[in-house]
Amino acid sequence: MQKAGGKMEVIQMKDVSFHYTGDVPILENVNICLNSGDYAILTGENGSGKSTFLKLLLGELEPDQGTVEIFGKKIGKADFKELKIGYVPQNSISGNKDFPATVEEVMMTGLYRPFKKRLSRKECRQKITVALTELGMESFLKRRIGELSGGQQQRVMLARVLAADPGLLILDEPTVGVDSVSLEALAKVLQKKNEEGLTILMVTHGNTKLFCGVNRHFKADEGGITE
């Protein structure tokens, strides 16, 4: 939905409540609106509802009441690539040292386009090179992803998502298990991409001081999310 001033509502949660069977509400009457170009961070202690919030946002759970929309549409897993949503989960490969794919092969999977004309191999390689270079990982192209450190893997997974040119980037605990070099690279790239117009939502309980350019701060606590 287009708003006054040319801003578009990218994420909208309206009167959202959710509880697991037999439990008290995990989230209750949550209202959040993120506009195009926002750079938002959601913090909160373990058990505060951050994970449930993400699952509702990603379409893995249905709210008991209220609505969840991204780019004006109710979200489902099949909509991710169509709506240009980039998602970087927490430690998605970490711990699997025997994972056989190379960095290049992992990057290629992020460029699969089921709803659009497929990119040529040359175009894919160009996008992969640019994304990895931005995160200082271009020299790891032929390395197996399982051989990389946790921070290096996180940089590759972010590069994989950014290579697909998302309109919305969602990150789940991107600082967990990440070394200081990778953390600085992550913060710089996120700031740069936001300045270029990318809408970003980061969910974390870690230190956020390094992340510059953030204009929206949310906190999950006792079933609510406040700004």
Side-chain angles (χ1 to χ4, degrees):
M1 182 182 296
Q2 195 79 18
K3 298 184 70 176
K7 293 284 187 178
M8 174 182 288
E9 291 179 348
V10 177
I11 294 175
Q12 186 182 68
M13 278 194 175
K14 189 173 182 181
D15 300 323
V16 168
S17 295
F18 179 85
H19 75 284
Y20 294 98
T21 304
D23 290 340
V24 296
I26 304 298
L27 295 174
E28 191 167 14
N29 296 322
V30 170
N31 289 276
I32 287 180
C33 180
L34 257 61
N35 300 317
S36 57
D38 277 344
Y39 185 174
I41 290 183
L42 170 64
T43 60
E45 300 299 324
N46 289 332
S48 63
K50 301 193 308 299
S51 294
T52 300
F53 166 83
L54 264 184
K55 289 178 180 179
L56 289 165
L57 185 61
L58 299 173
E60 295 177 8
L61 294 174
E62 289 282 340
D64 297 330
Q65 69 177 43
T67 58
V68 181
E69 293 184 347
I70 297 182
F71 294 115
K73 294 184 178 182
K74 184 178 178 181
I75 189 63
K77 291 182 180 179
D79 299 316
F80 264 51
K81 290 188 180 294
E82 184 178 13
L83 293 178
K84 299 193 75 175
I85 300 168
Y87 173 53
V88 182
Q90 178 182 349
N91 295 332
S92 55
I93 297 178
S94 180
N96 191 347
K97 296 294 185 182
D98 298 321
F99 196 77
T102 64
V103 168
E104 182 177 26
E105 289 166 342
V106 169
M107 292 288 294
M108 287 293 290
T109 65
L111 294 173
Y112 174 60
R113 307 172 75 183
F115 301 104
K116 296 181 180 180
K117 181 182 176 181
R118 293 188 181 184
L119 298 171
S120 68
R121 192 161 187 84
K122 181 179 179 180
E123 289 172 320
C124 287
R125 285 176 174 168
Q126 289 174 337
K127 285 182 173 292
I128 287 170
T129 298
V130 169
L132 287 175
T133 300
E134 284 186 316
L135 284 149
M137 294 299 294
E138 67 275 13
S139 63
F140 293 82
L141 185 67
K142 299 298 183 181
R143 289 275 298 277
R144 287 196 175 192
I145 189 76
E147 296 173 351
L148 275 54
S149 70
Q152 291 169 338
Q153 289 177 1
Q154 192 76 340
R155 280 192 271 170
V156 170
M157 298 312 290
L158 176 59
R160 174 183 176 273
V161 167
L162 293 178
D165 300 319
L168 168 64
L169 175 63
I170 302 171
L171 303 105
D172 180 14
E173 300 288 2
T175 65
V176 173
V178 175
D179 58 274
S180 60
V181 173
S182 293
L183 196 57
E184 289 179 8
L186 175 71
K188 287 181 180 179
V189 168
L190 291 180
Q191 183 180 7
K192 177 177 179 289
K193 291 299 179 181
N194 177 248
E195 290 171 351
E196 292 172 356
L198 178 61
T199 306
I200 300 172
L201 171 63
M202 180 192 304
V203 178
T204 182
H205 70 271
N207 193 323
T208 62
K209 291 182 180 179
L210 192 62
F211 295 91
C212 300
V214 177
N215 71 321
R216 308 283 300 277
H217 294 267
F218 297 91
K219 184 175 182 180
D221 186 40
E222 296 183 353
I225 295 180
T226 56
E227 185 171 10

